Short mmCIF file of all heavy atoms in Angstrom, two decimals:
data_model
loop_
_atom_site.label_atom_id
_atom_site.label_comp_id
_atom_site.label_asym_id
_atom_site.label_seq_id
_atom_site.Cartn_x
_atom_site.Cartn_y
_atom_site.Cartn_z
N GLU S 23 -0.75 14.59 8.12
CA GLU S 23 -0.99 14.43 6.76
C GLU S 23 -0.64 13.05 6.19
O GLU S 23 -1.29 12.52 5.38
CB GLU S 23 -0.18 15.53 5.95
CG GLU S 23 -0.76 16.96 6.20
CD GLU S 23 -2.14 17.08 5.67
OE1 GLU S 23 -3.06 16.81 6.49
OE2 GLU S 23 -2.33 17.43 4.52
N LEU S 26 -3.44 10.75 7.34
CA LEU S 26 -4.75 10.97 6.75
C LEU S 26 -4.65 10.60 5.18
O LEU S 26 -5.71 10.26 4.64
CB LEU S 26 -5.17 12.52 6.80
CG LEU S 26 -5.46 12.88 8.21
CD1 LEU S 26 -5.59 14.44 8.28
CD2 LEU S 26 -6.77 12.26 8.71
N SER S 27 -3.48 10.62 4.63
CA SER S 27 -3.29 10.27 3.23
C SER S 27 -3.65 8.81 3.04
O SER S 27 -4.09 8.36 1.93
CB SER S 27 -1.94 10.59 2.71
OG SER S 27 -1.02 9.70 3.18
N PHE S 29 -6.09 7.10 3.84
CA PHE S 29 -7.50 6.84 3.38
C PHE S 29 -7.61 6.83 1.88
O PHE S 29 -8.58 6.27 1.34
CB PHE S 29 -8.41 8.01 3.96
CG PHE S 29 -8.71 7.88 5.37
CD1 PHE S 29 -8.17 8.71 6.32
CD2 PHE S 29 -9.56 6.85 5.80
CE1 PHE S 29 -8.52 8.61 7.66
CE2 PHE S 29 -9.97 6.73 7.18
CZ PHE S 29 -9.38 7.64 8.08
N HIS S 30 -6.67 7.42 1.17
CA HIS S 30 -6.88 7.53 -0.31
C HIS S 30 -6.13 6.41 -1.03
O HIS S 30 -6.06 6.39 -2.33
CB HIS S 30 -6.32 9.00 -0.78
CG HIS S 30 -7.06 10.04 -0.20
ND1 HIS S 30 -8.27 10.46 -0.70
CD2 HIS S 30 -6.81 10.77 0.98
CE1 HIS S 30 -8.70 11.51 0.10
NE2 HIS S 30 -7.82 11.69 1.02
N HIS S 35 -12.84 5.02 -1.41
CA HIS S 35 -13.40 6.25 -1.63
C HIS S 35 -12.94 6.89 -2.91
O HIS S 35 -11.78 6.72 -3.35
CB HIS S 35 -13.13 7.17 -0.58
CG HIS S 35 -13.56 6.78 0.85
ND1 HIS S 35 -14.89 6.53 1.09
CD2 HIS S 35 -12.86 6.42 1.87
CE1 HIS S 35 -14.92 6.12 2.34
NE2 HIS S 35 -13.70 6.03 2.84
N ARG S 36 -13.81 7.62 -3.63
CA ARG S 36 -13.35 8.37 -4.86
C ARG S 36 -12.44 9.50 -4.48
O ARG S 36 -12.83 10.31 -3.66
CB ARG S 36 -14.54 8.90 -5.62
CG ARG S 36 -14.11 9.68 -6.88
CD ARG S 36 -15.35 10.05 -7.70
NE ARG S 36 -14.94 10.82 -8.94
CZ ARG S 36 -14.60 10.26 -9.99
NH1 ARG S 36 -14.47 8.97 -10.04
NH2 ARG S 36 -14.32 11.04 -11.11
N THR S 37 -11.25 9.49 -4.96
CA THR S 37 -10.20 10.49 -4.58
C THR S 37 -10.44 11.89 -5.36
O THR S 37 -10.80 11.73 -6.59
CB THR S 37 -8.81 9.95 -4.90
OG1 THR S 37 -8.54 8.86 -4.06
CG2 THR S 37 -7.74 11.07 -4.57
N SER S 38 -10.35 12.89 -4.65
CA SER S 38 -10.53 14.20 -5.29
C SER S 38 -9.49 14.34 -6.40
O SER S 38 -8.43 13.81 -6.33
CB SER S 38 -10.33 15.34 -4.23
OG SER S 38 -11.33 15.17 -3.20
N HIS S 39 -9.88 15.28 -7.37
CA HIS S 39 -9.00 15.43 -8.56
C HIS S 39 -7.63 15.89 -8.16
O HIS S 39 -6.52 15.31 -8.78
CB HIS S 39 -9.63 16.45 -9.53
CG HIS S 39 -8.82 16.84 -10.59
ND1 HIS S 39 -8.42 15.90 -11.65
CD2 HIS S 39 -7.98 17.91 -10.90
CE1 HIS S 39 -7.66 16.53 -12.53
NE2 HIS S 39 -7.41 17.68 -12.08
N HIS S 40 -7.44 16.67 -7.16
CA HIS S 40 -6.16 17.22 -6.85
C HIS S 40 -5.20 16.10 -6.27
O HIS S 40 -4.06 16.33 -6.06
CB HIS S 40 -6.31 18.40 -5.85
CG HIS S 40 -6.70 18.08 -4.43
ND1 HIS S 40 -8.01 17.80 -4.02
CD2 HIS S 40 -5.94 17.90 -3.30
CE1 HIS S 40 -8.04 17.54 -2.82
NE2 HIS S 40 -6.81 17.55 -2.28
N LEU S 41 -5.78 15.01 -5.90
CA LEU S 41 -5.02 13.85 -5.27
C LEU S 41 -4.77 12.77 -6.29
O LEU S 41 -4.04 11.79 -5.98
CB LEU S 41 -5.73 13.32 -3.99
CG LEU S 41 -5.83 14.29 -2.86
CD1 LEU S 41 -6.58 13.56 -1.69
CD2 LEU S 41 -4.42 14.78 -2.33
N LEU S 179 -14.67 27.94 8.14
CA LEU S 179 -14.24 26.57 8.04
C LEU S 179 -15.25 25.65 7.21
O LEU S 179 -14.87 24.86 6.34
CB LEU S 179 -14.10 25.92 9.40
CG LEU S 179 -13.08 26.45 10.37
CD1 LEU S 179 -12.96 25.76 11.66
CD2 LEU S 179 -11.70 26.59 9.65
N SER S 180 -16.58 25.79 7.48
CA SER S 180 -17.58 25.04 6.87
C SER S 180 -18.89 25.39 7.36
O SER S 180 -19.08 25.88 8.54
CB SER S 180 -17.30 23.53 7.18
OG SER S 180 -18.44 22.79 6.76
N PRO S 181 -19.97 25.33 6.53
CA PRO S 181 -21.35 25.49 7.04
C PRO S 181 -21.71 24.50 8.03
O PRO S 181 -22.67 24.69 8.73
CB PRO S 181 -22.21 25.46 5.78
CG PRO S 181 -21.26 25.63 4.68
CD PRO S 181 -19.90 25.06 5.04
N ARG S 182 -20.97 23.49 8.17
CA ARG S 182 -21.30 22.38 9.19
C ARG S 182 -20.71 22.76 10.52
O ARG S 182 -20.88 21.91 11.51
CB ARG S 182 -20.77 21.02 8.71
CG ARG S 182 -21.29 20.63 7.36
CD ARG S 182 -20.53 19.39 6.79
NE ARG S 182 -20.76 18.27 7.57
CZ ARG S 182 -21.63 17.34 7.20
NH1 ARG S 182 -22.42 17.47 6.18
NH2 ARG S 182 -21.69 16.28 7.98
N ASP S 194 -21.57 19.33 12.76
CA ASP S 194 -22.58 18.52 12.20
C ASP S 194 -21.81 17.43 11.42
O ASP S 194 -21.44 17.63 10.25
CB ASP S 194 -23.48 19.25 11.32
CG ASP S 194 -24.56 18.42 10.76
OD1 ASP S 194 -24.74 17.32 11.21
OD2 ASP S 194 -25.30 18.88 9.87
N LEU S 195 -21.60 16.20 12.01
CA LEU S 195 -20.94 15.13 11.22
C LEU S 195 -21.39 13.86 11.93
O LEU S 195 -21.98 13.76 12.95
CB LEU S 195 -19.45 15.30 11.23
CG LEU S 195 -18.75 15.64 12.61
CD1 LEU S 195 -18.81 14.47 13.60
CD2 LEU S 195 -17.29 15.94 12.34
N MET S 214 -6.94 21.88 12.69
CA MET S 214 -5.98 21.15 11.87
C MET S 214 -6.33 21.19 10.47
O MET S 214 -7.16 20.48 9.98
CB MET S 214 -5.80 19.68 12.34
CG MET S 214 -5.33 19.55 13.79
SD MET S 214 -5.33 17.80 14.31
CE MET S 214 -7.13 17.44 14.38
N PRO S 215 -5.71 22.08 9.60
CA PRO S 215 -5.97 22.08 8.17
C PRO S 215 -5.37 20.86 7.56
O PRO S 215 -4.24 20.33 7.99
CB PRO S 215 -5.35 23.34 7.69
CG PRO S 215 -4.22 23.54 8.61
CD PRO S 215 -4.72 23.08 9.93
N SER S 216 -5.99 20.25 6.43
CA SER S 216 -5.42 19.15 5.76
C SER S 216 -5.70 19.12 4.29
O SER S 216 -6.76 19.66 3.90
CB SER S 216 -6.02 17.87 6.40
OG SER S 216 -5.49 16.68 5.62
N VAL S 217 -4.70 18.73 3.55
CA VAL S 217 -4.98 18.60 2.10
C VAL S 217 -5.74 17.32 1.81
O VAL S 217 -6.36 17.15 0.72
CB VAL S 217 -3.70 18.56 1.31
CG1 VAL S 217 -3.81 18.31 -0.10
CG2 VAL S 217 -3.03 19.98 1.46
N PHE S 218 -5.73 16.36 2.74
CA PHE S 218 -6.20 15.02 2.44
C PHE S 218 -7.67 14.71 3.09
O PHE S 218 -8.08 13.60 3.03
CB PHE S 218 -5.31 13.94 3.07
CG PHE S 218 -4.04 13.96 2.37
CD1 PHE S 218 -2.84 14.52 2.79
CD2 PHE S 218 -3.86 13.21 1.06
CE1 PHE S 218 -1.60 14.47 2.10
CE2 PHE S 218 -2.70 13.20 0.34
CZ PHE S 218 -1.58 13.80 0.92
N ILE S 219 -8.36 15.70 3.56
CA ILE S 219 -9.71 15.56 3.99
C ILE S 219 -10.56 16.51 3.19
O ILE S 219 -10.17 17.58 2.80
CB ILE S 219 -9.87 15.78 5.46
CG1 ILE S 219 -9.54 17.15 5.90
CG2 ILE S 219 -9.18 14.76 6.31
CD1 ILE S 219 -9.80 17.50 7.36
N GLY S 220 -11.83 16.00 2.90
CA GLY S 220 -12.74 16.76 2.06
C GLY S 220 -13.91 17.37 2.79
O GLY S 220 -14.75 18.03 2.21
N MET S 221 -13.98 17.12 4.11
CA MET S 221 -15.05 17.63 4.86
C MET S 221 -14.55 17.74 6.39
O MET S 221 -13.53 17.30 6.76
CB MET S 221 -16.27 16.73 4.85
CG MET S 221 -16.10 15.38 5.47
SD MET S 221 -17.51 14.30 5.39
CE MET S 221 -17.62 14.10 3.59
N ILE S 222 -15.41 18.40 7.16
CA ILE S 222 -15.01 18.56 8.54
C ILE S 222 -14.99 17.24 9.28
O ILE S 222 -15.75 16.40 9.02
CB ILE S 222 -16.09 19.53 9.29
CG1 ILE S 222 -16.06 20.88 8.73
CG2 ILE S 222 -15.95 19.54 10.75
CD1 ILE S 222 -14.82 21.63 9.03
N THR S 223 -13.93 17.03 10.06
CA THR S 223 -13.83 15.75 10.76
C THR S 223 -13.34 16.01 12.23
O THR S 223 -12.67 17.07 12.55
CB THR S 223 -12.82 14.84 9.96
OG1 THR S 223 -12.73 13.50 10.65
CG2 THR S 223 -11.47 15.44 10.00
N VAL S 224 -13.58 15.01 13.01
CA VAL S 224 -12.98 15.00 14.36
C VAL S 224 -12.34 13.59 14.47
O VAL S 224 -12.93 12.54 14.36
CB VAL S 224 -14.09 15.08 15.45
CG1 VAL S 224 -13.48 14.78 16.85
CG2 VAL S 224 -14.73 16.40 15.45
N GLY S 236 -10.57 18.93 12.36
CA GLY S 236 -9.79 18.91 11.10
C GLY S 236 -10.70 19.49 10.00
O GLY S 236 -11.86 19.21 9.91
N TYR S 237 -10.12 20.21 9.13
CA TYR S 237 -10.92 20.77 8.03
C TYR S 237 -10.08 20.95 6.76
O TYR S 237 -8.85 20.85 6.76
CB TYR S 237 -11.41 22.15 8.49
CG TYR S 237 -10.23 23.28 8.65
CD1 TYR S 237 -9.80 23.99 7.59
CD2 TYR S 237 -9.69 23.39 9.89
CE1 TYR S 237 -8.77 24.91 7.76
CE2 TYR S 237 -8.64 24.26 10.07
CZ TYR S 237 -8.22 25.03 9.01
OH TYR S 237 -7.19 25.94 9.20
N PRO S 238 -10.76 20.94 5.59
CA PRO S 238 -10.12 21.04 4.30
C PRO S 238 -9.29 22.39 4.14
O PRO S 238 -9.82 23.47 4.39
CB PRO S 238 -11.15 20.88 3.29
CG PRO S 238 -12.34 20.43 3.96
CD PRO S 238 -12.22 20.93 5.38
N ALA S 239 -7.95 22.29 3.78
CA ALA S 239 -7.22 23.47 3.69
C ALA S 239 -7.62 24.27 2.33
O ALA S 239 -7.89 23.64 1.31
CB ALA S 239 -5.75 23.15 3.63
N ARG S 240 -7.66 25.55 2.41
CA ARG S 240 -7.76 26.30 1.23
C ARG S 240 -6.62 26.14 0.28
O ARG S 240 -5.49 26.01 0.72
CB ARG S 240 -7.86 27.84 1.59
CG ARG S 240 -9.04 28.23 2.39
CD ARG S 240 -8.96 29.72 2.82
NE ARG S 240 -9.28 30.59 1.67
CZ ARG S 240 -8.36 31.38 1.08
NH1 ARG S 240 -7.07 31.26 1.39
NH2 ARG S 240 -8.70 32.18 0.14
N SER S 242 -6.04 23.49 -1.62
CA SER S 242 -5.54 22.20 -1.82
C SER S 242 -5.46 21.73 -3.28
O SER S 242 -4.64 20.88 -3.63
CB SER S 242 -6.49 21.20 -0.97
OG SER S 242 -6.46 21.36 0.36
#
Side-chain angles (χ1 to χ4, degrees):
E23 289 296 89
L26 292 171
S27 73
F29 283 110
H30 299 277
H35 302 295
R36 180 174 177 83
T37 295
S38 300
H39 173 71
H40 73 279
L41 296 176
L179 300 183
S180 169
R182 299 168 70 96
D194 182 14
L195 46 68
M214 300 175 290
S216 175
V217 172
F218 291 100
I219 60 176
M221 63 181 67
I222 294 295
T223 184
V224 174
Y237 64 90
R240 295 175 74 252
S242 294

